[in-house]
Amino acid sequence: MPAHHRKKKDTFESTHPENIRRRKIVSILSIIAVTIIFSLIAYFIGRPLVLEFRNSPETFRSYVKSHWLLGPLVMIGIMMLQVIVAVIPGEPFELGAGFVFGWAQGSVLCLLGTVLASALVYTAVRKWGVKLVELFFPREKIRNFSFLQNEKKLNLLVFMLFLIPGTPKDLLTYVVGLTPMKLSTFLILTTLARIPSVVSSSITGSLAQKGSYTAAIITYGITLVITVICVILYRRISKQEKEQKQHEK
């Protein structure tokens, strides 16, 4: 097997060839610091915001709308937090963005937040490698996406995985940093792929805010059906890729 293929495999196998002890210590301490910061942000900022919106959506909406600059910045920050702290689900915030800002502005704010957070995650993974990814996800889940090392299909696979509703996009955001894909390519492909899901969620939230509950339920129901279908297709594609990889071995 050529050397460059072995190197790409290593990025998913938690092997780190650093020979300088100080670099290892600095890397580990940096990862610990980042994890602590993310955890504190999630608990002290993200949790209260989620509870406030859940308890009184209209009060939350009025508060955000009354702060013309702060409101959008908070929404962008929430979406960034949701991507970085991968255990936080994104769809409720997309619905909330549509509810508070309307579907058009809400969609833009959601996409902007995910772009900024994706760039940060990608850059961090490029620096610290799989060690950083393993802080958030089990090694087995990371290995499930080792098929992304196929450079010929990489762009198509990443676009399809982010396009399909229900795929683990937060994990994928971290994993793509382990692949040869450039940051600019990653941001363009994933942003385009996220648009249908984000817009549909924002439209649902906007319809709910206007009292069009029937239309909101129908929109959400259609999205849910599409999600289920796409999840089935995603699992089939993932299974085929694994079987192909095992066959190549």
Side-chain angles (χ1 to χ4, degrees):
M1 182 181 291
H4 66 279
H5 286 299
R6 289 197 300 270
K7 183 177 180 181
K8 284 184 287 187
K9 180 180 180 179
D10 287 344
T11 60
F12 282 79
E13 292 295 334
S14 189
T15 58
H16 308 283
E18 295 93 344
N19 296 318
I20 302 176
R21 182 187 174 113
R22 188 174 69 176
R23 288 184 60 190
K24 288 185 177 181
I25 294 175
V26 171
S27 179
I28 292 172
L29 291 177
S30 300
I31 292 174
I32 292 174
V34 169
T35 303
I36 292 174
I37 292 172
F38 288 166
S39 300
L40 291 174
I41 292 174
Y43 185 81
F44 290 105
I45 299 178
R47 183 171 171 270
L49 287 171
V50 173
L51 293 176
E52 177 65 24
F53 181 77
R54 186 183 67 182
N55 295 333
S56 181
E58 280 295 345
T59 301
F60 182 80
R61 179 175 181 271
S62 298
Y63 172 79
V64 172
K65 294 292 286 185
S66 66
H67 296 75
W68 67 275
L69 180 59
L70 179 62
L73 290 178
V74 169
M75 190 69 245
I76 292 172
I78 290 174
M79 292 307 300
M80 291 182 66
L81 182 67
Q82 176 270 316
V83 174
I84 295 171
V85 184
V87 295
I88 302 176
E91 187 169 337
F93 295 110
E94 295 168 4
L95 291 168
F99 185 93
V100 174
F101 298 99
W103 73 268
Q105 185 180 1
S107 298
V108 171
L109 294 175
C110 287
L111 290 171
L112 182 56
T114 56
V115 167
L116 293 174
S118 297
L120 287 174
V121 169
Y122 178 97
T123 303
V125 173
R126 273 287 197 263
K127 179 176 178 58
W128 289 303
V130 73
K131 291 182 290 186
L132 176 63
V133 185
E134 287 179 345
L135 289 175
F136 299 95
F137 306 98
R139 186 177 302 179
E140 292 73 21
K141 285 190 176 182
I142 300 172
R143 287 174 176 168
N144 286 339
F145 292 96
S146 59
F147 62 83
L148 291 176
Q149 293 173 101
N150 186 336
E151 291 190 46
K152 294 181 179 179
K153 297 181 179 180
L154 180 58
N155 289 357
L156 177 61
L157 287 172
V158 169
F159 179 79
M160 291 300 298
L161 289 172
F162 275 86
L163 177 66
I164 297 173
T167 56
K169 294 179 178 61
D170 297 332
L171 169 56
L172 286 165
T173 300
Y174 279 82
V175 168
V176 171
L178 302 173
T179 71
M181 180 175 285
K182 294 181 179 179
L183 175 59
S184 58
T185 303
F186 169 56
L187 294 179
I188 292 171
L189 289 177
T190 56
T191 300
L192 291 174
R194 286 180 187 271
I195 289 176
S197 176
V198 170
V199 170
S200 64
S201 295
S202 297
I203 289 175
T204 302
S206 179
L207 289 171
Q209 189 278 321
K210 295 176 181 178
S212 304
Y213 297 110
T214 301
I217 292 173
I218 293 174
T219 302
Y220 191 78
I222 293 173
T223 303
L224 183 61
V225 171
I226 295 174
T227 298
V228 172
I229 295 173
C230 289
V231 168
I232 295 173
L233 292 174
Y234 159 69
R235 289 181 177 177
R236 288 185 179 179
I237 293 172
S238 180
K239 183 178 179 181
Q240 290 175 355
E241 290 290 342
K242 290 179 185 177
E243 291 176 349
Q244 182 178 352
K245 184 177 178 181
Q246 291 176 352
H247 180 71
E248 291 175 354
K249 290 181 179 179

